Amino acid sequence: ANTISNWEQEFEKWVEGKIQVYNLTSFSSDARFRTIGSWYRKGGVLLMTSQLYVHCVKNQNMRVVFLDPGPDLIVLDEAHTMVRGNSTKIAKALRDVRTKRRIALTGTPLQNNLMEYYHMVNWVRPNILGSERFFDDYFNKPIMAGMTSDSSPNNVQLQKEKTIELYKILSPFVHRRDSSALKKELRTMQQVVLVVRQTKLQTMLNRRFKRVYKSNSFLDIYSKIAPILNHPGCLIPASRQQKTRRIQQQQLNDGEQNGSNIEEILLDTSKGIGEKAEPGKCQLKSSDVGPSNSVHSGESGKSN
């Protein structure tokens, strides 16, 4: 959704209202098909997620709009995540598109995963690189074999030859751009690091967490302690859910022993959810909660 919003902002910035832009993610489910109909009749740009696209093409009435003949132009952002293989729902849907003009955008360098690159190219220009098996044997394996630190001189030489050959095939329609293309438009990146002292409540929770929770995994510890660092109030919903589950389980156990009706137990348990804390119970006050410990970095400009 954030990517879609970024695209919407970019269109507003560069075309200045000359093209009608529809952000499908901003409409309710009932209004989406009406929005699609308006876009199909009047033209413009329709922004949507891959999940929404898959959902829409399941509707037979939408197949004419999105698949056959489809839109005049279709653009995939982060294309390597959508057209990899033929097993995912989005890949299967895009495979049936009849639109001739296609653009695939990716920030993934060619050398990272040649098979992903093959699928992107094959979607834009079907069969120009041959079958998947042919590409793997003729390009992928020789190139990968010559890029390791212990590759033989013969493998390195073959890798260079295959890379040049592949580059010549792709150069007419694969356009690589780095940050220099936006150098004149964007100001120098500025980074700011803010160190913020923990509040008393954060310090107390942090110390207690270290005493009761032991783990050798940094990621595991970070995921558990993040709510404390972000805002101790984040712990309240999780605490309520755990308390509710304990009460329900206890009452279910009691019900089994006393022969009580389970449905009545569940209904009775739900009454206390969301009520105010009783006097004497621990509550968080706004004065106890302060800014989180975090490191922030920002840029004065951005691009998609």
Side-chain angles (χ1 to χ4, degrees), residues 26-39:
S26 64
F27 293 91
S28 64
S29 299
D30 296 334
R32 281 171 183 165
F33 286 112
R34 293 195 298 271
T35 304
I36 293 171
S38 177
W39 163 75

Side-chain angles (χ1 to χ4, degrees), residues 61-78:
N61 296 328
M62 293 290 104
R63 295 185 70 84
V64 173
V65 177
F66 291 113
L67 296 180
D68 191 4
D72 297 329
L73 169 67
I74 183 168
V75 181
L76 302 185
D77 194 8
E78 300 296 333

Side-chain angles (χ1 to χ4, degrees), residues 73-77 79 101-105 123-124:
L73 169 67
I74 183 168
V75 181
L76 302 185
D77 194 8
R101 284 176 283 189
R102 309 176 184 185
I103 297 176
L105 304 176
W123 182 76
V124 174

